[in-house]
Amino acid sequence: MPDMLNKAEIEALSQFRLTTEKNPSNQSICLNELFNDHILLAYLKQAGTVIGSSNSKVTASLFIKRYAFLAAISLYAMTVLNKKINLSCHTISLQTEEGDRSWLPRFYFPQLCVEVASTDRERFREEVIKDVFLNHISAMITQISNVTQQSKRILWENVAIYLFWLYEKVLTKINDNEIVKRAYEDYDYLINEAPGSLFGDIRENPLKKFYDNKKYVDGNKDEIRIRTTCCLYYRLEGSPKRCNTCPHNCRTEKSI
């Protein structure tokens, strides 16, 4: 019998939109179906209508911001639980409540099977990163970019910002010195050392280019990391404001 996540671990991962319940909605879909061009376009069109997106490029960008939570689920499990979740594309689905205007799908796994980290943790870490990025994140970015012509740079930065948030905000609050140490090591490897080959058919690490120094910006009490691209969130109906890290509205006062 394979190892399974326990109730407490599932609860911890639910903050990254993991769910153990299926939602009978026409907005729910299996991940492997999204690698069909026609199905993907239809899915984005439907989602765009729900959230008030102006075109497929905008919807594509916002979809990847949601899809990035699959990486957050996998990396949290790797760092905090020391476990590798089975990410078989044929079993995972996106579950969305009917008419959810915010369009925040959750990831449903029929079985939450895991592998416990081996004594060779460096190899274990490589396997986790390669699985989630090469088989999922990079594959979906390529698919959605090909179908919508949205820039891969925008899509990769949409993923990067949530991983920065995970390791800089969420994991630093854990009251366990061993986990905090592991988080520091995993984050450093993910950003600075992991080769492009772990992320797909990529020459260089696609996350590193977005890891810039944080800066003081007008209207913000704390330092923020300004994006290099705009995610196009402001293009949604009823969302006239840009994100506070948007490069188009951030005026630097002082850098680190």
Side-chain angles (χ1 to χ4, degrees):
M1 287 287 293
D3 289 314
M4 307 288 287
L5 291 177
N6 61 42
K7 186 176 180 179
E9 293 169 337
I10 293 173
E11 179 65 26
L13 289 169
S14 68
Q15 65 183 301
F16 308 112
R17 302 177 189 162
L18 173 75
T19 185
T20 57
E21 299 180 1
K22 297 193 75 171
N23 195 312
S25 162
N26 63 6
Q27 290 177 255
S28 298
I29 191 168
C30 290
L31 295 189
N32 64 319
E33 293 185 56
L34 295 176
F35 288 93
N36 177 293
D37 292 358
H38 297 295
I39 293 177
L40 176 59
L41 280 173
Y43 177 78
L44 293 177
K45 182 177 180 180
Q46 181 185 52
T49 300
V50 170
I51 62 177
S53 171
S54 58
N55 59 56
S56 62
K57 285 189 175 183
V58 174
T59 313
S61 175
L62 299 181
F63 170 73
I64 289 297
K65 291 183 78 171
R66 287 146 176 77
Y67 197 75
F69 276 79
L70 184 61
I73 290 171
S74 183
L75 295 179
Y76 182 96
M78 175 188 78
T79 297
V80 178
L81 310 179
N82 229 12
K83 295 178 179 180
K84 179 181 182 293
I85 298 180
N86 182 348
L87 297 179
S88 173
C89 203
H90 296 286
T91 61
I92 305 172
S93 60
L94 287 173
Q95 300 295 315
T96 307
E97 292 185 14
E98 194 76 41
D100 177 11
R101 296 289 298 175
S102 58
W103 186 38
L104 296 175
R106 303 182 73 84
F107 292 90
Y108 171 77
F109 294 70
Q111 288 188 318
L112 285 164
C113 303
V114 295
E115 297 175 23
V116 179
S118 63
T119 53
D120 186 350
R121 194 171 187 284
E122 290 185 2
R123 182 175 180 180
F124 164 78
R125 180 171 57 197
E126 287 183 0
E127 291 175 349
V128 173
I129 292 173
K130 185 175 183 178
D131 188 19
V132 69
F133 285 101
L134 187 149
N135 296 330
H136 288 275
I137 302 300
S138 183
M140 184 59 73
I141 284 177
T142 297
Q143 167 70 1
I144 209 165
S145 178
N146 289 342
V147 169
T148 67
Q149 303 305 304
Q150 179 55 281
S151 162
K152 286 185 179 181
R153 185 178 182 89
I154 291 176
L155 302 180
W156 272 111
E157 187 160 26
N158 287 351
V159 174
I161 60 171
Y162 284 115
L163 302 186
F164 298 159
W165 163 76
L166 172 66
Y167 281 97
E168 295 176 2
K169 298 292 186 180
V170 179
L171 300 189
T172 54
K173 296 179 181 178
I174 293 179
N175 188 25
D176 186 307
N177 291 337
E178 182 179 348
I179 292 177
V180 170
K181 179 177 181 293
R182 198 157 63 221
Y184 175 84
E185 293 172 348
D186 287 351
Y187 191 32
D188 181 63
Y189 179 82
L190 182 68
I191 300 301
N192 297 313
E193 298 181 31
S197 59
L198 294 184
F199 297 88
D201 187 17
I202 301 172
R203 181 181 302 177
E204 298 178 352
N205 183 322
L207 304 176
K208 188 173 184 178
K209 68 183 72 174
F210 305 116
Y211 187 73
D212 198 5
N213 288 336
K214 295 182 179 181
K215 300 175 174 64
Y216 288 104
V217 175
D218 284 343
N220 290 274
K221 292 176 59 177
D222 301 319
E223 299 162 333
I224 61 174
R225 181 177 290 109
I226 302 171
R227 288 182 57 123
T228 67
T229 66
C230 173
C231 73
L232 305 179
Y233 171 74
Y234 79 97
R235 295 276 296 274
L236 294 184
E237 293 177 9
S239 302
K241 293 185 179 180
R242 296 179 185 269
C243 304
N244 69 332
T245 58
C246 182
H248 297 301
N249 66 355
C250 287
R251 183 158 59 86
T252 303
E253 288 184 336
K254 179 177 65 175
S255 60
I256 298 175

